[in-house]
């Protein structure tokens, strides 16, 4: 089962990603734009997810994904770390969120990250 340290290690391995504390929790940013947070006493992560895909994702795997009330108007979804299958699934989720937050220059510079899966729900880039 992935944990908060796995989130940090994987997130910080993505190009130009940094960790910054905000709202009393760790947040991860690419080129200054937030891609993930570690809320809920670091037992879950919040990541970017297009709203049109989010509902399908939550309905398909409610034990794993949900939307926090204060994030409902934004393109974010939460994932319970204990419900994730393994580090590979965590890496896919974080990489997908990174792709959504990264500027075009980074996407162009790292095509290997564009090919490593797709968005959380649809299997496409989410862009």
């Amino acid at each position: 089962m992935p944990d908060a340290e796995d989130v940090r290690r994987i997130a910080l391995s993505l190009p130009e990603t940094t960790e910054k504390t905000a709202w009393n929790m760790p947040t991860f940013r690419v080129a200054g734009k937030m891609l993930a947070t570690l809320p809920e006493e670091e037992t879950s992560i919040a990541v970017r997810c297009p709203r049109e895909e989010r509902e399908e994702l939550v309905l398909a795997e409610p034990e794993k994904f949900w939307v926090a009330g204060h994030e409902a108007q934004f393109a974010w979804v939460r994932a319970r770390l204990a419900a994730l299958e393994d580090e590979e699934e965590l890496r896919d989720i974080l990489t997908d969120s990174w792709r959504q937050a990264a500027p075009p220059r980074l996407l162009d510079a790292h095509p290997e990250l564009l090919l490593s899966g797709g968005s959380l729900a649809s299997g496409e880039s989410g862009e």
Side-chain angles (χ1 to χ4, degrees):
M1 167 185 81
D3 62 19
E5 287 310 309
D6 295 322
V7 172
R8 282 185 178 87
R9 180 177 44 77
I10 293 168
L12 294 172
S13 74
L14 296 167
E16 292 189 32
T17 299
T18 59
E19 182 175 348
K20 179 181 178 181
T21 299
W23 307 289
N24 296 315
M25 73 179 103
T27 66
F28 299 90
R29 300 162 190 257
V30 57
K33 195 170 180 184
M34 198 164 7
L35 70 102
T37 68
L38 264 169
E40 307 297 323
E41 299 177 352
E42 300 187 357
T43 62
S44 68
I45 57 173
V47 293
R48 292 177 172 271
C49 181
R51 283 186 232 164
E52 59 274 7
E53 297 176 12
R54 183 175 67 183
E55 184 176 331
E56 176 184 335
L57 184 66
V58 170
L59 287 172
E61 298 183 89
E63 71 289 347
K64 191 178 292 186
F65 298 103
W66 86 99
V67 178
H70 68 280
E71 295 169 344
Q73 71 271 26
F74 303 107
W76 288 81
V77 69
R78 300 243 182 138
R80 292 173 182 85
L81 293 175
L84 300 181
E85 293 176 25
D86 53 27
E87 279 190 36
E88 184 175 334
E89 184 177 23
L90 175 61
R91 181 176 302 281
D92 288 346
I93 290 168
L94 288 168
T95 301
D96 183 59
S97 190
W98 180 90
R99 283 193 298 266
Q100 293 174 61
R105 68 175 175 78
L106 281 177
L107 297 174
D108 292 344
H110 297 280
E112 73 281 5
L113 295 177
L114 299 178
L115 302 175
S116 66
S119 67
L120 293 174
S122 71
E124 297 175 4
S125 70
E127 292 293 306

